[in-house]
Amino acid sequence: MTEELAAAPVRRDRRAERRAATVREILDAAWRLADERGLTGWPLKDVADAVGMRTPSLYVYFASKNDLYDAMFADGYRRLLERAEATPRNGTPREVLHRAAHVFVDFCAEDPARFQLLFLRTLPGFEPSEQSYALALEPLTLIAEILAAAGGGDAATLDLYTALLTGLASQQISNDPGGDRWRRLIDTAVDRILPPS
Amino acid sequence: MTEELAAAPVRRDRRAERRAATVREILDAAWRLADERGLTGWPLKDVADAVGMRTPSLYVYFASKNDLYDAMFADGYRRLLERAEATPRNGTPREVLHRAAHVFVDFCAEDPARFQLLFLRTLPGFEPSEQSYALALEPLTLIAEILAAAGGGDAATLDLYTALLTGLASQQISNDPGGDRWRRLIDTAVDRILPPS
DNA sequence: GTCTATAAATGGATAGAC
DNA sequence: GTCTATCCATTTATAGAC
C-alpha cells in the first residue's frame, strides 16, 4: 500500500465529489420515501422535491426509475456488508453465529422496503444489473464462513440457514412490525437448525 | 342436518349463480395476469379484455382494484384451506407433518404472486378486509394441530415453523424458481426445527 | 348488466433554452 | 447541471344511455 506513504498529493476531482454527494442525497431521499410509502409507492417527482430539484434534473444522475432501484439495490447490499464486517468476531463460534444472525435479521426488519428490494423478487420488471448482483454475493460468503466455523459447513445447512433467517425477518415484518415475536426466536432457531453433532 | 333429507326443493337463484360465475371468471383472469406479470403488473383493462368486457363493467362486480385484490386474498386462503383439508392424515404424526409441510411450500412456490399477496405485506396501500383476514387464520389452526401432534405444541415452535416454511418458499421462489433447491430441504428442516425430545 | 364517453389525475421521460 | 415546457401514455374510476 505505497499510496498511503506517498508524498505525491492525490488530485481531488471536485466535480466527481459533488456529483457523488448529490447521488447520495437522491438515494437517501428515495430510501426515505420507500420506507414511508412502500418500495413502489412514490413517483420520481417526490424524490425531486425532497432534494430540491425538478424531476427532469434527476435524469442527469439516473437514466430511469429502474436505474435508481438498481442503485438502491447495490447500496443496500453495501450497507449489509458494512454491517456484517463491523460485527465483532470474538467469543465461541456459536456465539459469533448468534450475533451475526441478530445483525442480519435486525438489518432486514428495520427497513421492510429494503428487505423487499434485496431479498424478495417482488418488484415488477426489475432485475439487478450484473455489477449490482455481484455485490449481493459478498455478504453470503461471510455468512457461510461463520456458519461453517460453528459446525454448519455443508451446503444444505447454509441454504436452510438463509431460508430460516429471511423467514424470521419476513414474518416479523408482516405479522408483528416493530415487535420482537420472531426476533426473539433467533437463538433457538439457529441452534436447532445446525446439524446434529 | 335435516336439510340434506328434506324433500323441499331448493329454490335456485339463477341470477346469483350467473353473477358468481362471472366473479370467478374475473378472479381467474386476474390470477393469470398476476402470474404472468407480477401482482401489480397489469391494469384493469387487461382483466376486462380477458373476460370479454369493457373496463367499466368490472365495477359491477368489484368496487375498486383494491376490492379485487381483497377477493383474490380471500380466494387464495380458501384454496389453501381446501388443499390442507384434502391432505391425508394417515401415518405417524411426523409423517403427517412432513406431508403438510410439502403441501404448504408447494402451494406457495407454485404461484409467487399469490405467495406475495397472502404472506408478504408488500402491496402498497392494501389491507385485507376483516372478513378476508378471518379466513387467513383457518389454515394456521390446522397447521398448529398437526405440529402439536408431532411434538411441537408450544407457541415458539409454531412461530418458528411458519417462519421456516415461508422462508423456504421465499428462497425457492427468489433464487431457484421452478427448481427444488430449497423444497428438497423440507423434511430435514422440519425435523431440525422440532423441539429436542 | 353492458356499453360509450370521458373525467381526472398520474407519472415516466424527452427537447431544448439558459 | 438545472430549468421550463411538454409529450404521451397509462390507468382508475364515474356518468349516463341503452
Side-chain angles (χ1 to χ4, degrees), chain B residues 121-165:
Chain B
R121 283 292 165 81
T122 215
L123 222 176
F126 173 73
E127 287 279 336
S129 64
E130 215 173 314
Q131 301 96 304
S132 296
Y133 186 73
L135 275 174
L137 301 176
E138 299 188 19
L140 191 61
T141 309
L142 249 174
I143 286 175
E145 279 173 28
I146 292 170
L147 185 59
D154 59 306
T157 296
L158 177 58
D159 283 348
L160 230 44
Y161 184 78
T162 61
L164 182 71
L165 294 196

Side-chain angles (χ1 to χ4, degrees), chain B residues 69-108:
Chain B
Y69 280 128
D70 191 58
M72 293 170 76
F73 182 92
D75 189 44
Y77 273 106
R78 254 182 241 112
R79 289 260 165 105
L80 176 57
L81 190 60
E82 272 173 29
R83 198 81 67 93
E85 285 173 340
T87 304
R89 302 285 282 262
N90 60 308
T92 67
R94 179 72 63 109
E95 282 166 357
V96 175
L97 182 62
H98 282 173
R99 202 179 293 137
H102 279 274
V103 167
F104 179 77
V105 175
D106 287 349
F107 176 85
C108 293

Side-chain angles (χ1 to χ4, degrees), chain B residues 3-43:
Chain B
E3 290 90 338
E4 287 170 16
L5 300 169
V10 176
R11 179 61 162 271
R12 281 171 54 193
D13 182 340
R14 304 187 72 87
R15 191 165 315 206
E17 282 171 13
R18 189 175 177 79
R19 190 184 169 87
T22 304
V23 164
R24 167 91 337 255
E25 262 192 273
I26 295 171
L27 280 173
D28 288 342
W31 281 124
R32 198 159 36 244
L33 286 165
D35 186 37
E36 290 164 3
R37 306 192 211 155
L39 189 54
T40 62
W42 40 270

Side-chain angles (χ1 to χ4, degrees), chain A residues 146-188:
Chain A
I146 291 170
L147 186 58
D154 58 305
T157 296
L158 178 57
D159 282 349
L160 231 43
Y161 184 78
T162 60
L164 182 71
L165 293 197
T166 53
L168 287 167
S170 158
Q171 288 288 90
Q172 183 61 56
I173 289 167
S174 300
N175 300 314
D176 183 37
D180 75 333
R181 179 167 158 195
W182 275 270
R183 285 195 295 118
R184 71 182 174 223
L185 302 175
I186 293 175
D187 290 350
T188 308

Side-chain angles (χ1 to χ4, degrees), chain A residues 43-54:
Chain A
L44 288 176
K45 179 182 188 323
D46 292 358
V47 180
D49 286 349
V51 298
M53 276 182 190
R54 301 294 179 163

